[in-house]
């Protein structure tokens, strides 16, 4: 989705001036002192891992690593290992000891024991595993890729503790409570949607990166995040289905819409009334200025060509891209968001791309070319992206807008209804 972690600007007012401001400022001072004293300590587990035996429909499988050659595992109380395909197993019971994992001759080796091509790692209470220094709740599946290109490491855990590792990675936990709750429900709904749509055809449901939504395990957790999860537990969004009844949908979100969210069909190609664009004035007062209007970005033509062909090999038929021109723009005039571009090659051939695909191919981080709201031109051997506005794809929930609404007293229900018009809040479990 191209999601980005967002932060409050250093000098942005967190709340309106009153007595609460003084208490908030003292809170920040004390928090800063605590960070200085304990900044080097591991994050304390603020909540036990709930319901490890929950039904599969309430679990999520996260692709942590892909095509790696090795990793290092550990767990507070050890873990058990089962090679599902060959019936072998092992146990590692020493607390906090590192266990090396790699593969040899197409089989996975765990701590010196050569097992099969599919290995299940089962954690013990408190159900926490450390992978390459990062802590995650739940269990792991290790797979040798069919082409022998390396290992996949998949983290399986209940949906709610998964969200605890997502929300704080996607939105600052110190933001207004109602904004964090709105983000929690949007992330829960999105997880369920992606699991249902794509999970049956592969070994995992979501990636841990912004390709879906960022997941950082225990390092993203906090007491306030868990409170938002508890107070919205099992709640998700639906829209009226085409065949009657309700259906879940992709509750996209991004950092800053800069005045108007975008119709999902123009960006991702899917259509839902709840994903039509809405005029948003709420992010303007709280977002960073560099998100509302970002400086021009210049990238060498050769680098643009290289990155586009790497991402889309069929573009090599153009024999070098000479020009990039908008062919479609958003119907919302306030931003002039480009939705499609035409690429013209040295040989005169042309091809088209969605503008969102173009920007993320050229800038995979999404932190330079922050959105598809830009003017583009070629000059002196570089492509120049100028007059940029907004941060992210602009579809669905505007995160800074949600924060702005929460500061004005709107509830999480109202925030979700505003950014996903016509949607309904339901209780999944």
């Amino acid at each position: 989705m191209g999601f980005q972690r967002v932060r409050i600007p250093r000098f942005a007012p967190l709340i309106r001036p009153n007595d609460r401001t003084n208490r908030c400022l003292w809170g920040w001072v004390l928090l800063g002192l605590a960070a200085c004293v304990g900044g080097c300590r591991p994050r304390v587990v603020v909540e036990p891992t709930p319901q490890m035996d929950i039904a599969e429909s309430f679990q999520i499988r996260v692709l942590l690593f892909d095509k790696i050659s090795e990793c290092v595992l550990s767990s507070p109380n050890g873990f058990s290992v089962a090679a599902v395909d060959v019936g072998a197993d092992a146990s590692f019971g020493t607390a906090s000891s590192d266990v090396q994992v790699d593969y040899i001759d197409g089989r996975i080796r765990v701590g010196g024991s050569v097992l099969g091509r599919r290995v299940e790692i089962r954690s013990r209470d408190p159900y926490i595993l450390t992978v390459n220094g990062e802590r995650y709740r739940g269990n792991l599946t290790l797979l040798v890729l069919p082409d022998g290109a390396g290992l996949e490491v998949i983290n399986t855990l209940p949906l709610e503790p998964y969200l605890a590792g997502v929300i704080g990675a996607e939105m600052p936990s110190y933001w207004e409570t109602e904004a964090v709750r709105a983000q929690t429900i949007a992330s829960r709904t999105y997880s369920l949607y992606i699991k249902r749509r794509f999970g049956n055809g592969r070994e995992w449901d979501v990636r841990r990166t912004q390709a879906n939504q960022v997941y950082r395990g225990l390092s993203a957790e906090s007491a306030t995040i868990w409170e938002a999860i508890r107070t919205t537990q099992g709640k998700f969004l639906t829209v009226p289905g085409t065949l009657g009844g309700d259906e879940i949908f992709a509750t996209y979100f991004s950092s800053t819409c800069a005045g108007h969210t975008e119709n999902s069909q123009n960006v991702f190609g899917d259509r839902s009334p709840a994903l039509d664009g809405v005029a948003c004035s709420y992010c303007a007062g709280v977002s960073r200025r560099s998100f509302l209007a970002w400086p021009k970005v210049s990238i060498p033509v050769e680098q643009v060509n290289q990155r586009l062909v790497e991402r889309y090999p069929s573009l090599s038929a153009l024999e070098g891209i000479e020009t990039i021109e908008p062919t479609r723009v958003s119907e919302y005039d306030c931003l002039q968001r480009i939705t499609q571009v035409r690429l013209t090659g040295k040989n005169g051939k042309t091809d088209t791309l969605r503008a969102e695909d173009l920007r993320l191919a050229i800038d995979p981080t999404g932190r330079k070319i922050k959105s598809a709201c830009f003017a583009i031109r070629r000059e002196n051997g570089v492509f120049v992206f100028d007059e940029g506005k907004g941060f992210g794809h602009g579809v669905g929930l505007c995160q800074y807008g949600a924060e702005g609404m929460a500061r004005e007293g709107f509830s999480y229900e109202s925030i979700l209804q505003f950014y996903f018009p016509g949607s309904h809040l339901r209780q999944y479990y």
Side-chain angles (χ1 to χ4, degrees):
M1 292 176 60
F3 309 143
Q4 302 292 334
R5 185 184 176 112
V6 292
R7 296 179 183 274
I8 283 285
R10 184 176 178 183
F11 297 110
L14 288 176
I15 53 177
R16 288 182 285 273
N18 53 26
D19 290 340
R20 183 181 167 206
T21 305
N22 294 328
R23 295 196 299 272
C24 183
L25 290 174
W26 277 112
W28 280 110
V29 171
L30 293 173
L31 182 62
L33 290 173
C36 293
V37 173
C40 296
R41 299 173 185 170
R43 181 181 287 271
V44 175
V45 179
V46 297
E47 190 85 9
T49 305
Q51 295 179 286
M52 279 297 296
D53 59 347
I54 197 169
E56 184 179 337
S57 58
F58 302 136
Q59 295 179 3
I60 198 83
R61 301 170 301 170
V62 190
L63 181 63
L64 296 182
F65 300 100
D66 185 23
K67 298 181 180 179
I68 63 171
S69 59
E70 60 182 11
C71 62
V72 177
L73 307 180
S74 65
S75 184
N77 290 325
F79 54 86
S80 62
V81 179
V84 178
D85 52 341
V86 297
D89 56 33
S91 181
F92 296 86
T94 305
S96 301
S97 60
D98 290 343
V99 177
Q100 182 72 30
V101 174
D102 55 17
Y103 73 107
I104 181 171
D105 297 329
R107 297 172 66 188
I108 298 169
R109 180 168 58 184
V110 181
S113 299
V114 179
L115 303 169
R117 297 177 62 85
R118 182 189 187 98
V119 171
E120 304 288 343
I121 307 292
R122 300 296 176 189
S123 61
R124 300 177 184 137
D125 193 1
Y127 307 109
I128 293 170
L129 288 161
T130 300
V131 187
N132 290 347
E134 296 294 328
R135 295 188 299 165
Y136 303 95
R137 297 179 185 271
N139 301 316
L140 299 176
T141 299
L142 311 177
L143 296 173
V144 177
L145 291 168
D147 58 1
L151 299 175
E152 283 186 337
V153 180
I154 301 163
N155 180 201
T156 301
L157 72 166
L159 177 58
E160 301 300 311
Y162 161 70
L163 293 174
V166 167
I167 309 307
E170 289 287 359
M171 176 178 282
S173 61
Y174 53 80
W175 274 16
E176 295 288 336
T177 300
E178 297 303 293
V180 178
R181 288 173 176 170
Q183 177 69 59
T184 302
I185 292 171
S187 288
R188 182 183 292 114
T189 307
Y190 179 79
S191 303
L192 291 169
Y193 172 81
I194 295 297
K195 176 182 175 68
R196 291 184 179 188
R197 182 170 179 183
F198 300 108
N200 290 333
R202 59 195 184 194
E203 296 284 352
W204 45 272
D205 301 315
V206 295
R207 294 181 181 272
R208 68 165 179 157
T209 67
Q210 63 186 28
N212 291 130
Q213 48 190 0
V214 180
Y215 168 63
R216 294 201 176 101
L218 267 75
S219 66
E221 294 186 16
S222 71
T224 55
I225 294 298
W226 273 105
E227 181 62 21
I229 291 170
R230 278 193 295 269
T231 53
T232 66
Q233 185 165 350
K235 291 183 178 180
F236 70 111
L237 293 173
T238 66
V239 290
T242 55
L243 300 177
D246 287 346
E247 62 183 26
I248 202 166
F249 68 104
T251 44
Y252 299 114
F253 52 89
S254 63
S255 170
T256 306
C257 74
H260 209 295
T261 64
E262 185 55 68
N263 187 320
S264 179
Q265 192 168 22
N266 295 333
V267 178
F268 299 117
D270 52 355
R271 179 77 177 89
S272 171
L275 294 173
D276 287 346
V278 297
C280 168
S281 61
Y282 298 103
C283 60
V286 296
S287 182
R288 289 183 179 183
R289 291 183 179 179
S290 61
F291 293 176
L292 293 166
W294 40 273
K296 74 176 181 180
V297 178
S298 299
I299 302 178
V301 171
E302 295 80 4
Q303 190 175 96
V304 169
N305 270 282
Q306 178 185 353
R307 290 181 177 176
L308 284 172
V309 171
E310 284 177 357
R311 184 77 171 264
Y312 303 104
S314 63
L315 293 179
S316 62
L318 303 183
E319 298 179 358
I321 296 165
E322 287 283 284
T323 62
I324 303 174
E325 302 168 292
T327 55
R328 276 207 317 253
V329 297
S330 171
E331 63 262 40
Y332 309 120
D333 295 334
C334 59
L335 291 183
Q336 289 298 308
R337 183 186 299 272
I338 299 172
T339 59
Q340 182 178 278
V341 297
R342 178 172 58 242
L343 312 174
T344 302
K346 292 180 179 179
N347 56 12
K349 294 182 178 180
T350 64
D351 208 336
T352 59
L353 273 181
R354 289 178 186 152
E356 185 68 13
D357 295 336
L358 173 85
R359 81 170 183 100
L360 292 177
I362 297 173
D363 174 24
T365 69
R367 294 184 177 277
K368 293 181 178 179
I369 308 173
K370 290 185 172 69
S371 77
C373 297
F374 54 70
I376 184 170
R377 64 183 185 275
R378 176 173 173 166
E379 59 181 33
N380 301 323
V382 298
F383 282 111
V384 178
F385 301 83
D386 205 354
E387 302 174 22
K389 296 179 182 179
F391 193 4
H393 51 67
V395 179
L397 178 76
C398 171
Q399 292 170 306
Y400 270 103
E403 173 67 359
M405 291 186 72
R407 292 186 195 179
E408 292 189 21
F410 287 94
S411 67
Y412 71 84
E413 294 96 337
S414 297
I415 294 170
L416 293 170
Q417 186 59 225
F418 178 77
Y419 287 108
F420 302 110
S423 64
H424 303 291
L425 192 59
R426 304 298 189 198
Q427 191 76 38
Y428 189 45
Y429 49 84

